Amino acid sequence: MTRHLPALIIVIPLLAALFTAGSGWINSKAPFRIAVAALFFSFVCAVLMLIQVVTTGIAMEYRMAGWAGPMGIVYVIDHLSAIVLVVITAVSTLNLVAQKKNIDAEFNDKEGAFNALYVLFTAGLIGMTATGDAFNLYVLLEIVSLSGYALIGLGSRRAPLATLNYLFLGTIGATFYLLGVGYLYIATGTLNMAELATIIPQNMESGVILFAFIICLTGLFVKMAMFPVHGWLPEAYSQATSVSTGLIAPLTTKVTVYIMIRICMTVFTPEYTFGHLDISGFIVLLAIVTIVFGSLSALAQTNVKRMLSYIIIAEVGYMVGGFFLGNRLGISGAILHIINDAAMTLALFLAAGIFIWKTGGESRSDLKGLFAKMPFTMAGFVLAGLSVVGVPPTCGFFSKWYLISGGIQAGNTLFVAALIFSSLVNAVLFFRLFEIAYFEPFADADSHGSNHGSHTHGGALAIKEAPLDMLIPFLIASITLIVLGLYSGTIVTNIIQFAIPTGVI
Amino acid sequence: MKILGKLTILLCGVLLLVFTMEFPDWGDPDSPASTHLSPYFIQHTMEDTAVPNIVTSVLADYRGYDTLFETTVILTAGLACFLLLRIERKKVHHRYYRHEPTGVTLRMEGDKFPRNSAVFQRMDANWVPYDFVISRTCRLIIPFIQIFALYVVAHGHHSPGGGFQGGVLMGASVILFAISHSLRAAIKSFSEKTAALLSVTGVFIYAGTGALCLIFGEVFLNYSALAPLFGSDRVMARSHGILMVEIGVAVAVTAVMIWIYYNLSSAGKQDEGL
Amino acid sequence: MRDSDMESIFALVLAKANYVVYIILMMVGLYAMIVKNNLIKKIVGMSIFQTAIILFYVSIGCKRGATIPILVHHASPEAAAHGAEKIAAHAMEAVDVAHYINPLPHVLMLTAIVVGVATLGVALALAIKVYNTYGTVEEDEINQQLRSG
């Protein structure tokens, strides 16, 4: 049975999405249960595949429809895909379980369609990660995009417009990627990633392949919100519901970074990307601008969700810059940061979801006094904030360390300076939030001295924590940050080490 | 802003044009695209799948996995339009009906309907008088469109056609009915619930066939595993498997086209369309 | 410019005519998406942009003097009744690859067309929601409403 795992991990969610959509017309409780069961099943499959790949050291290959190589579509699970699959399924399951109350509140009579789109989004991400065919990646990218648009479009009053802008830019990005695949097809005649990797080193001088690389990369940059095409992200993420941002924010940009790594490293081999081409310096510069711009813009926001969205943009800059440094430390840092950043963003947005559910407001000042009211939630939020800043032993410190070491080894002091600057700005940002939550009195108990005795409210001193089904997944996510940090070394030596081709120093 | 946009586009266009000088010529039979992979498909389609239409065999067999997700894309679009737009109708307390032969208007309270509903037409604020010539002409044409759609699906192995094309034609016939008569008449004959359930069923037929192959011991979507089910040899099983998934695709595409049309044309309310 | 230069440029453009056409179409679509104010015009521009890519892929598969990728055969009841052996025997007659155009771009573009239609549907649904919220589909009027309201 284990040989069918690469197919099961995506077929089960797909079938479950169909049952969810169908059962939504009959029963209103069934969709959620089917969705959670299916996502948990894929999480188990992903973990099993990771264990198998790590213990045997060989990538799993699965030939869809029985046809090998370039004739058919092949799924390849190697070290890199296996770990990203675990991340995707874990984030998706945790978020769905944690936000059940929000789903009931916001999508009251459309549970079937919502849960089906949620599961289809995750299934698309799983497929994108596992596939070994360049065109199949485009189809799954479009599933992820379309379900993403639907999940984001139902939010606040400004959500449809923000989503429409996201749709335009997302379509441009995906179509550029398709164009790049077309150029590759003209030059080589195949769509299979492994076969492209053997043909491209023989044609390095070709202008067609150069242009294919540039246009693929441009499309992916649009989809991951690099500067200057980042405009869609803050609007879209801040206007959506907390369920949707909890799913989309940790995953979309990180999996797009994974695709970039897959294309630049596995398809266009490292000799071509870092050796033959000379644009790494320019891309690292772009990443530096993204980091600085994201951090400074986050400083200027009063809305908590917009602030977190700009932090996401800065994190994308870390990963892209780290990858294009070209050395083993930098690439390891980028891959480790995919895992860590997904966990951090999930924890941050789950916390934001709890805050919004509790106080009803989204601005910074609504966090007043929450330390006393919700100590466990705030503890988790503090952990997540420290991880973004990069304080040991949280995971954010370790990935930043790899990135900084990579920058020093490559001699790119500007990148190191940008990383340190960004950490300082994040520190200012989060400590300001902690100060508001800790020192300011809770909004309910705004006592004006004279009315103290006649207050009939529940009392500002009573702890009114978030409900358990929201709190426990959130705490699991926060504690994972420390666990990931402590095991960073193990992850790098056992998994990420083998994900990078041996030619890279 | 406009100048910046125009300049960017001009720059992009010139850059792209410059790079096309390296491409193979149009219609060159020796380009890598035409010599590397596709000769295998052209030469082996009959002995592998027994289907002369190479596009169908590549679409549904060699690259059948892609097509499964393409059908899922269209299902996602249907679900997305439903999620974004659908608004439940408020209960009405009275309705107006117009008696066609005499032109008399009746008002019925509660949930009562006129008994001889063939000669009565429902009126409300969204009522638009329908055109006699158009509606009768379309009524004549629609059955032929549907038969042609079924032919396109069934004959996809030997002539241009297949699931997507047939599904769109079938969906178009119902949309034509909705345009020429009224959206309510179309919804009465092909309700939204039917459209939603059929679209899910279509994708389920496709994914289910693949899963069936998994249960029979072969790889996902390897139709030759279904040979004992069809009672034929492995190559013909592939041909029949392709037909099964094409039917699934046709059902899904039909239902989704109609579902999207219902939601878009009535902006979610599904009381009256264009 | 001498006549031979003009002729060689003309020959070059003619040889790559499909690429020139697709680039022009793509730029027209991109122009509409970026510069136009009306949301529906932007959506139409997006559709033109995607159609240009479809045209590009399909034109790659062309071969001079070749026909559509359906093997020339005569449907006969005996062939259908005898199953795979007979059909494989037919297949043994050599199939001339140069006689049929490349089927792979057509397959890929079937997918791309469906994806384009799906994106168009979702975009229109969002445009309807925008219209219901703001009462207009002109982007500058919407921005004005957002700034003031």
Side-chain angles (χ1 to χ4, degrees):
Chain A
M1 204 58 196
T2 48
R3 93 175 167 112
H4 289 301
L5 276 178
L8 280 179
I9 192 176
I10 191 169
V11 168
I12 300 290
L14 180 62
L15 287 172
L18 298 176
F19 280 114
T20 311
S23 68
W25 289 85
I26 307 173
N27 181 0
S28 67
K29 288 212 188 306
F32 182 76
R33 297 189 185 136
I34 301 178
V36 172
L39 289 176
F40 186 70
F41 179 83
S42 356
F43 173 66
V44 170
C45 284
V47 170
L48 285 175
M49 284 201 288
L50 178 66
I51 295 176
Q52 178 164 352
V53 169
V54 169
T55 47
T56 59
I58 321 170
M60 289 171 82
E61 193 189 276
Y62 194 81
R63 303 174 174 176
M64 295 289 174
W67 300 107
M71 266 71 75
I73 297 177
V74 176
Y75 262 30
V76 177
I77 316 276
D78 59 359
H79 291 88
L80 185 60
S81 354
I83 187 75
V84 176
L85 278 175
V86 171
V87 167
I88 294 173
T89 43
V91 167
S92 181
T93 320
L94 266 178
N95 184 52
L96 189 61
V97 171
Q99 309 247 25
K100 176 160 198 312
K101 289 210 164 26
N102 281 330
I103 299 177
D104 287 335
E106 285 159 11
F107 295 99
N108 204 3
D109 42 358
K110 296 181 185 169
E111 294 95 2
F114 175 79
N115 284 303
L117 283 169
Y118 192 101
V119 177
L120 279 173
F121 182 88
T122 313
L125 284 174
I126 293 174
M128 268 209 291
T129 314
T131 189
D133 185 279
F135 188 78
N136 191 250
L137 201 132
Y138 168 73
V139 180
L140 291 159
L141 186 68
E142 284 295 326
I143 290 189
V144 170
S145 310
L146 280 175
S147 40
Y149 303 147
L151 290 173
I152 289 185
L154 267 188
S156 65
R157 199 169 170 267
R158 282 165 68 160
L161 190 62
T163 314
L164 202 53
N165 276 328
Y166 176 24
L167 189 148
F168 289 141
L169 279 174
T171 307
I172 292 182
T175 314
F176 274 179
Y177 172 78
L178 183 63
L179 193 59
V181 170
Y183 279 34
L184 276 180
Y185 180 66
I186 290 184
T188 59
T190 177
L191 293 167
N192 190 341
M193 287 186 188
E195 202 178 350
L196 281 169
T198 54
I199 297 182
I200 286 179
Q202 299 160 10
N203 292 348
M204 279 205 201
E205 298 296 329
S206 164
V208 183
I209 293 191
L210 169 69
F211 203 66
F213 181 80
I214 294 177
I215 215 168
C216 268
L217 211 59
T218 312
L220 289 172
F221 280 176
V222 171
K223 288 225 81 136
M224 66 171 92
M226 286 277 285
F227 185 89
V229 282
H230 63 282
W232 57 268
L233 196 144
E235 271 298 316
Y237 286 7
S238 55
Q239 303 299 332
T241 58
S242 9
V243 194
S244 312
T245 39
L247 174 70
I248 298 180
L251 290 178
T252 320
T253 43
K254 321 299 174 269
V255 178
T256 315
V257 170
Y258 160 82
I259 298 177
M260 177 192 81
I261 294 180
R262 180 60 82 198
I263 301 253
C264 294
M265 216 163 57
T266 313
V267 176
F268 297 92
T269 50
E271 295 85 41
Y272 184 78
T273 316
F274 303 125
H276 183 83
L277 284 185
D278 211 11
I279 52 173
S280 310
F282 172 69
I283 296 184
V284 176
L285 201 63
L286 205 60
I288 293 173
V289 174
T290 310
I291 296 174
V292 171
F293 175 79
S295 308
L296 286 177
S297 306
L299 213 51
Q301 304 298 321
T302 51
N303 184 324
V304 173
K305 274 171 121 174
R306 282 185 79 101
M307 183 190 86
L308 293 176
S309 312
Y310 278 106
I311 292 181
I312 293 181
I313 296 182
E315 306 274 343
V316 168
Y318 293 177
M319 291 185 270
V320 172
F323 178 72
F324 273 95
L325 286 174
N327 50 25
R328 187 161 276 261
L329 281 171
I331 301 181
S332 311
I335 297 177
L336 190 61
H337 203 66
I338 292 180
I339 306 168
N340 293 340
D341 197 34
M344 288 194 296
T345 317
L346 175 68
L348 283 172
F349 274 95
L350 279 180
I354 296 182
F355 293 154
I356 295 175
W357 178 84
K358 178 81 179 157
T359 61
E362 289 188 0
S363 94
R364 217 163 47 193
S365 50
D366 288 318
L367 292 177
K368 285 186 191 155
L370 280 181
F371 247 112
K373 268 282 192 179
M374 313 169 87
F376 288 107
T377 315
M378 282 313 290
F381 184 64
V382 166
L383 262 181
L386 289 178
S387 186
V388 174
V389 172
V391 172
T394 59
C395 53
F397 168 74
F398 291 99
S399 46
K400 272 209 177 115
W401 182 354
Y402 277 100
L403 289 170
I404 292 183
S405 318
I408 295 179
Q409 184 188 352
N412 201 326
T413 44
L414 209 56
F415 184 64
V416 176
L419 283 175
I420 298 180
F421 172 74
S422 168
S423 305
L424 289 173
V425 169
N426 284 338
V428 167
L429 212 54
F430 277 101
F431 280 104
R432 200 158 49 178
L433 283 180
F434 298 157
E435 179 192 27
I436 294 179
Y438 193 68
F439 287 112
E440 308 263 342
F442 189 58
D444 252 6
D446 246 346
S447 51
H448 295 286
S450 45
N451 279 350
H452 226 343
S454 55
H455 250 284
T456 47
H457 268 283
L461 298 175
I463 294 181
K464 193 146 184 307
E465 218 8 299
L468 270 184
D469 57 347
M470 276 180 152
L471 190 58
I472 295 194
F474 170 61
L475 287 179
I476 294 180
S478 310
I479 296 179
T480 315
L481 295 176
I482 300 190
V483 171
L484 278 175
L486 293 173
Y487 280 98
S488 291
T490 331
I491 296 180
V492 172
T493 39
N494 287 351
I495 302 176
I496 298 184
Q497 194 87 319
F498 301 105
I500 308 176
T502 45
V504 182
I505 40 158
Chain B
M1 190 58 209
K2 276 199 169 174
I3 314 272
L4 191 64
K6 287 179 190 171
L7 267 175
T8 324
I9 297 211
L10 214 61
L11 195 66
C12 266
V14 167
L15 215 67
L16 282 166
L17 272 171
V18 162
F19 273 101
T20 55
M21 292 307 130
E22 283 208 28
F23 284 2
D25 284 348
W26 187 20
D28 183 10
D30 288 325
S31 58
S34 301
T35 52
H36 188 83
L37 183 57
S38 42
Y40 179 87
F41 293 134
I42 300 178
Q43 285 167 335
H44 289 87
T45 178
M46 282 307 271
E47 69 186 69
D48 280 336
T49 60
V51 171
N53 188 343
I54 310 175
V55 172
T56 303
S57 72
V58 175
L59 183 77
D61 191 355
Y62 292 97
R63 295 188 72 93
Y65 189 73
D66 248 354
T67 313
L68 171 61
F69 281 98
E70 177 187 346
T71 324
T72 314
V73 165
I74 196 96
L75 173 70
T76 311
L79 282 169
C81 286
F82 171 74
L83 188 74
L84 285 171
L85 285 178
R86 190 78 172 92
I87 311 171
E88 287 301 318
R89 240 182 320 165
K90 295 188 272 291
K91 287 275 172 218
V92 289
H93 299 291
H94 54 260
R95 300 193 188 99
Y96 293 100
Y97 288 91
R98 189 166 183 262
H99 188 231
E100 285 167 34
T102 56
V104 170
T105 309
L106 294 177
R107 173 184 151 132
M108 316 278 298
E109 296 284 339
D111 270 337
K112 296 211 191 76
F113 291 100
R115 235 176 296 149
N116 189 8
S117 54
V119 295
F120 283 95
Q121 194 183 36
R122 167 105 173 256
M123 285 174 60
D124 60 8
N126 295 322
W127 180 71
V128 173
Y130 76 109
D131 192 304
F132 183 77
V133 172
I134 293 182
S135 69
R136 288 298 181 263
T137 317
C138 290
R139 233 193 191 158
L140 281 176
I141 299 180
I142 286 174
F144 293 101
I145 298 180
Q146 296 185 328
I147 294 185
F148 182 61
L150 290 174
Y151 163 80
V152 165
V153 175
H155 213 243
H157 284 206
H158 299 278
S159 67
F164 290 99
Q165 297 87 328
V168 170
L169 280 170
M170 189 68 106
S173 72
V174 178
I175 295 179
L176 183 61
F177 182 62
I179 293 179
S180 62
H181 291 68
S182 69
L183 190 65
R184 280 211 194 95
I187 292 183
K188 211 165 19 161
S189 60
F190 195 95
S191 74
E192 191 198 15
K193 189 169 176 182
T194 318
L197 288 176
L198 267 184
S199 58
V200 167
T201 312
V203 184
F204 182 69
I205 294 178
Y206 200 140
T209 312
L212 211 59
C213 307
L214 208 59
I215 295 176
F216 272 77
E218 290 273 358
V219 183
F220 183 65
L221 283 177
N222 193 350
Y223 306 126
S224 48
L226 300 175
L229 199 68
F230 294 127
S232 63
D233 59 315
R234 288 172 73 89
V235 174
M236 280 314 283
R238 277 191 186 270
S239 178
H240 296 314
I242 292 179
L243 184 63
M244 263 178 76
V245 301
E246 292 278 7
I247 293 176
V249 167
V251 169
V253 171
T254 310
V256 171
M257 286 290 147
I258 298 171
W259 199 15
I260 294 183
Y261 175 75
Y262 282 172
N263 277 327
L264 279 183
S265 69
S266 61
K269 298 198 219 75
Q270 304 213 353
D271 48 6
E272 190 50 66
L274 295 171
Chain C
M1 285 262 211
R2 285 197 291 202
D3 274 343
S4 57
D5 283 340
M6 286 297 291
E7 271 184 31
S8 60
I9 292 182
F10 190 64
L12 194 66
V13 169
L14 208 58
K16 321 264 189 213
N18 60 331
Y19 305 119
V20 174
V21 167
Y22 112 80
I23 289 174
I24 294 177
L25 260 185
M26 192 164 92
M27 289 302 125
V28 164
L30 212 55
Y31 175 81
M33 273 179 89
I34 296 181
V35 171
K36 291 285 178 189
N37 239 343
N38 189 326
L39 287 178
I40 305 291
K41 288 187 186 171
K42 284 186 167 189
I43 293 175
V44 172
M46 177 179 82
S47 192
I48 296 178
F49 178 59
Q50 287 177 319
T51 310
I53 308 291
I54 295 173
L55 191 67
F56 168 62
Y57 263 84
V58 172
S59 70
I60 296 175
C62 252
K63 286 184 207 169
R64 217 172 286 282
T67 178
I68 57 172
I70 299 181
L71 294 179
V72 177
H73 65 293
H74 306 285
S76 58
E78 306 92 46
H82 288 174
E85 317 87 39
K86 201 77 189 297
I87 295 182
H90 278 285
M92 286 312 150
E93 313 153 13
V95 176
D96 186 11
V97 171
H99 196 53
Y100 301 101
I101 61 175
N102 189 351
L104 196 58
H106 290 246
V107 173
L108 303 177
M109 285 308 104
L110 263 176
T111 309
I113 292 173
V114 169
V115 166
V117 166
T119 315
L120 192 65
V122 177
L124 286 173
L126 286 168
I128 290 179
K129 276 193 85 89
V130 169
Y131 181 72
N132 284 341
T133 316
Y134 296 104
T136 170
V137 280
E138 301 279 340
E139 203 164 21
D140 44 5
E141 289 176 27
I142 297 176
N143 284 335
Q144 211 170 24
Q145 282 189 31
L146 283 175
R147 248 176 282 143
S148 59

